[in-house]
Amino acid sequence: MLFVLLVLGNHPATAPVLLGGAADFAILTKTGISTVPSSSITGNIGCSPIGDSGLTGFSLVADDATAGQFSRTTQVTGMAYAANFAVPTPSKLTTAISDLETAYTDAAGRTVSSGANLNVGAGSVAGETFTAGVYTWGSNVNFNSKIYINGSKSDIFIFQMSGNLIVAADAEVVLEGDGTGNGEPKNGNIVWQVAGHVEVGANAHMEGVILVKTHAAFLSGSSLNGRILAQTAATLDQATIVAPPPPANTGQSNNEFEVNKTNNNLIVGLVVGLGGGLVLLAMLAFFYYKYRLIKAAKTKAAVPVNEVVIAPAGVTVANSKRV
C-alpha cells in the first residue's frame, strides 16, 4: 500500500539551490562592482573582501544614521555594502560570500537530469525550449535570439557550463507557463552556473540567478531579473538588474514554500496511506471472521444430530438415543 501512496507527495525532481546570505543581494562580488551611469539596480549590492574602492561609478553617500554600516546611491533601490564599512557589515559580507561559494559548488555538483539534457545544441541554444531539470554543457553556451524556459512556479532549472555564457545583443530569455495553471517559472528558481565568465550583450534580457566563477559583464541597455553572484567582478553599462524579494529565511531559496508544501503533501500521503492500510487490515479481519462463522455453520449442519426418541424396548431407532 505505502509504495503506491508515496506518489501523492508530487516530490520535485530537482532540489533548489540555497543561497543563504547571498540571497540578500542583487549583486554580490569579491573584487568589485562598476557601473557606467546610469544603471538601475533593485536590491542590495555588496563586495568583499575588497572595500568600497571596488564600488565605482555609483557616487556613494554614506548613511550616517547607521554609523557607516552601508551607503546609498541613486542607482540602487537598496543599500550598498563593502568590507570596510562599520560592523556588522564585514561579518555579514563574509558570510554572504561563503554562502555564494557554497551555492556555486552545489549547483556545479548536480547530476544532469537525462541524456537529452547533455550538451543541448552543442552549446548554441537559440530557439530552444527548456523544461525543469539540470542541463550540462562541456563548452561555452550562447544564444542570439530567444530561448524559452517552460514550467511552473515551483519548477527548478539548473544550467551548468564548463565555459562561458555569451548572450548576444537583443537576445532574450522568455518565461512561459506549462499550461497546468501553476504560474510561470520563478527567476529565483533558475540558476546559471558558469565556470568561465558571463557577457550579456546590448539590450539583451536574462532571467535567473547567475553563479559565475569569474566576472559578469552587462553591456549597454541589458537587463536581468535575478541576481549576479560573481567570484570576481561585475561590470554594468546602463544596465537594469531587478532581484526577486529575498526569502524570509535566507538559508532557503524562493522555492522553499513550494518545497515545504510538497513535503507536507508527502506527510499527508503517508498518514493517509497508513490509515488506509489499517482500515484494509480491519476489513480483511472482519471478512475472515465471517468466513470462519459460515464455514463452521456449514460443518455443523452436515453432521447428523442425535435425537431423543422414546421407543419400545427392543426397537432400534437410527440416529437416536434410547431412553
Side-chain angles (χ1 to χ4, degrees), residues 160-174:
Q160 307 165 325
M161 58 208 72
S162 63
N164 306 316
L165 173 61
I166 308 297
V167 182
D170 300 311
E172 180 181 3
V173 175
V174 178

Side-chain angles (χ1 to χ4, degrees), residues 238-265:
Q238 302 179 59
T240 300
I241 311 296
V242 179
N249 179 347
T250 54
Q252 301 175 343
S253 78
N254 290 337
N255 189 58
E256 189 70 12
F257 171 75
E258 299 297 331
V259 173
N260 287 341
K261 184 172 69 175
T262 296
N263 291 340
N264 289 339
N265 289 342

